[in-house]
Every structure is written in structure tokens, then in C-alpha cells.
Amino acid sequence: SASNVILTGGEYRPARRDTAGIVGEKAIANARFSKAFIGLDAIDIRDGLMAWDIDTARIDHLAIKHSNHVYLLVDSSKFGIVKANHFAELNEIDMIITDSGLDSSWKKYLEQIGIDVRIVS
């Protein structure tokens, strides 16, 4: 069966190749999702999920809050990095999809706290 795809609006930011801002926030605040696929700028054991800027953090926070299942798409270089704008805790994530550069201690920790980790080439 076919799935509907809903794209939220907002101001297009060429440097980040994304959209953010009040238009996108309002669209997400009024929606509910079965699944959310989120990219991020940094992930840390203590500080959770983080973004470079507040607009990205707000959009990502809303998407997580309004989704039944949350999947992070994050390359291994973002693990153990801290950025200024925290938007969610690790326990809000169902699955992390990353590359084979992920340190085995991270994989073990994430699986111990109940996050499914998928390594892709």
C-alpha cells in the first residue's frame, strides 16, 4: 500500500540544506507521526541529542515529541560531541542508524539502555 509523505515548511536554509522556523514548527506542532527520522549534529551520553542552532533543536524536539517511533540517522563522527542546543534525551529514541565507525563501547551502551543500533555501510 502507498504511504503519504508530508513535508513541513519553514524557511529554507541553503547552508544546512533544511527548513526551520515558525512555519515548520506550527506544522509539526499540529501533526502526529507514526515514525520520525531525525538527523542531528551531536550526541553525548550525559547531554543527549543536540543541534548547532536553536531553530533546528526546536523542530527536532517537536518531531520527537509527536512521533510514536523515533529513528536517528547519524554518522559516527557525531558521537561524544557536545553542542549548544540540547533537544532530547537518549531514552526518547527507538533506533539509531549509523556507520561502521561507531565505537563498540557506544554500541554496547546504547543497546544496554534499550536503543536498537543498526550499522550500515
Side-chain angles (χ1 to χ4, degrees), residues 85-105:
N85 297 288
H86 168 271
F87 62 86
E89 303 299 334
L90 287 171
N91 65 3
E92 298 177 71
I93 304 307
D94 296 295
M95 179 187 291
I96 293 177
I97 302 166
T98 190
D99 61 84
S100 59
L102 180 66
D103 187 272
S104 62
S105 62

Side-chain angles (χ1 to χ4, degrees), residues 23-118:
V23 173
E25 288 178 34
K26 286 191 178 287
I28 291 173
N30 293 317
R32 299 299 177 265
F33 309 105
S34 56
K35 296 178 179 114
F37 293 86
I38 308 277
L40 70 147
D41 296 317
I43 182 170
D44 183 68
I45 289 172
R46 188 186 74 235
D47 294 319
L49 312 181
M50 293 159 282
W52 278 102
D53 64 277
I54 193 68
D55 290 328
T56 300
R58 289 172 58 135
I59 290 279
D60 290 346
H61 172 75
L62 282 169
I64 288 171
K65 185 175 169 184
H66 293 272
S67 297
N68 294 334
H69 300 283
V70 179
Y71 303 86
L72 287 186
L73 307 169
V74 55
D75 69 82
S76 60
S77 70
K78 307 290 174 68
F79 287 81
I81 303 296
V82 175
K83 297 294 176 202
N85 297 288
H86 168 271
F87 62 86
E89 303 299 334
L90 287 171
N91 65 3
E92 298 177 71
I93 304 307
D94 296 295
M95 179 187 291
I96 293 177
I97 302 166
T98 190
D99 61 84
S100 59
L102 180 66
D103 187 272
S104 62
S105 62
W106 261 102
K107 185 174 189 301
K108 182 179 177 181
Y109 173 75
L110 293 167
E111 289 173 341
Q112 284 176 343
I113 65 169
I115 299 173
D116 187 10
V117 178
R118 302 287 173 101

